[in-house]
């Protein structure tokens, strides 16, 4: 099992059946797996806050929702997280390719990479940064239970070194 397969298997085992996504090179393989799975509805979106609105509606229609995105899009959806999601206690699994961390080749990604954990803390959202395939799988597998219990979004930050991991 590689890094993408661990996330996919975790999503399946969590029962997440509705995913929106904004493209990211690190998420490419995972997005292909999701597209090929008939039990998961996948809606590509152009902006993260658009995806949060769609996920809110899908959740109210009985779906278990998640968003796949780069951490650079976190700034685009802070208002939706602080108003819509916090106000109505909607659950959501946020899986973020955490760009701007160790090994980043694009200097423009670094400032938001550094700011991402502080932004999540500032809006009172818990996050996890798995460092192994097993930890990532377990975190994603348990993510829907966690987000529904806590009644707020839950973030999983997957840093650049994570995507290079092979089976534990």
């Amino acid at each position: 099992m590689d890094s993408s397969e661990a996330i996919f298997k975790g999503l399946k085992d969590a029962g997440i059946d509705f995913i929106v996504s904004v493209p990211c090179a690190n998420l490419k393989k995972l997005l292909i797996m999701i597209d090929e799975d008939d039990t998961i509805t996948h809606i590509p979106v152009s902006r993260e806050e658009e995806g949060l609105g769609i996920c809110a509606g899908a959740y109210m229609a009985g779906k278990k929702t998640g968003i796949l995105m780069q951490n650079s899009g976190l700034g685009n959806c802070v208002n939706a997280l602080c108003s819509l999601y916090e106000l109505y206690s909607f659950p959501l699994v946020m899986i973020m390719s955490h760009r701007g961390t160790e090994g980043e080749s694009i200097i423009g990604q670094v400032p938001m990479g550094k700011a991402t954990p502080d932004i999540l803390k500032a809006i009172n959202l818990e996050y996890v940064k798995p460092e192994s395939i097993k930890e990532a799988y377990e975190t994603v597998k348990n993510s829907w239970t966690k987000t529904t219990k806590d009644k707020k979004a839950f973030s999983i930050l997957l840093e650049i070194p994570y995507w290079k991991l092979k089976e534990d």
Side-chain angles (χ1 to χ4, degrees), residues 61-128:
K63 296 294 187 180
K64 294 181 178 180
T65 60
I67 184 169
L68 301 176
M69 60 189 248
Q70 265 188 31
N71 63 297
S72 58
L74 179 61
N76 295 338
C77 57
V78 167
N79 186 52
L81 288 168
C82 290
S83 57
L84 178 63
Y85 276 80
E86 187 172 325
L87 182 63
Y88 293 102
S89 301
F90 287 153
L92 176 70
V93 175
M94 299 175 66
I95 296 177
M96 286 186 255
S97 169
H98 191 180
R99 301 292 305 266
T101 60
E102 177 188 338
E104 179 60 61
S105 62
I106 301 172
I107 193 71
Q109 296 280 8
V110 174
M112 189 62 177
K114 289 179 181 175
T116 296
D118 291 334
I119 293 169
L120 289 168
K121 288 177 193 168
I123 60 175
N124 197 30
L125 290 183
E126 187 177 346
Y127 67 90
V128 172

Side-chain angles (χ1 to χ4, degrees), residues 12-155:
K12 294 290 290 179
D13 290 350
I16 294 173
D17 58 3
F18 190 94
I19 293 175
V20 299
S21 68
V22 180
C24 172
N26 292 333
L27 298 171
K28 183 180 179 181
K29 181 178 177 184
L30 177 58
L31 291 171
I32 291 169
M33 289 189 281
I34 289 166
D35 274 338
E36 292 174 348
D37 189 303
D38 292 337
T39 66
I40 300 174
T41 300
H42 177 218
I43 311 283
V45 295
S46 57
R47 291 188 53 91
E48 293 77 8
E49 68 271 31
E50 172 189 16
L52 293 186
I54 292 168
C55 281
Y59 171 71
M60 290 189 293
K63 296 294 187 180
K64 294 181 178 180
T65 60
I67 184 169
L68 301 176
M69 60 189 248
Q70 265 188 31
N71 63 297
S72 58
L74 179 61
N76 295 338
C77 57
V78 167
N79 186 52
L81 288 168
C82 290
S83 57
L84 178 63
Y85 276 80
E86 187 172 325
L87 182 63
Y88 293 102
S89 301
F90 287 153
L92 176 70
V93 175
M94 299 175 66
I95 296 177
M96 286 186 255
S97 169
H98 191 180
R99 301 292 305 266
T101 60
E102 177 188 338
E104 179 60 61
S105 62
I106 301 172
I107 193 71
Q109 296 280 8
V110 174
M112 189 62 177
K114 289 179 181 175
T116 296
D118 291 334
I119 293 169
L120 289 168
K121 288 177 193 168
I123 60 175
N124 197 30
L125 290 183
E126 187 177 346
Y127 67 90
V128 172
K129 294 194 286 186
E131 295 183 11
S132 71
I133 287 175
K134 181 179 180 183
E135 182 185 4
Y137 164 72
E138 290 294 329
T139 300
V140 176
K141 180 183 84 166
N142 296 317
S143 63
W144 187 255
T145 300
K146 177 162 187 45
T147 189
T148 54
K149 178 181 163 267
D150 294 349
K151 298 182 180 177
K152 60 180 168 180
F154 173 64
S155 297

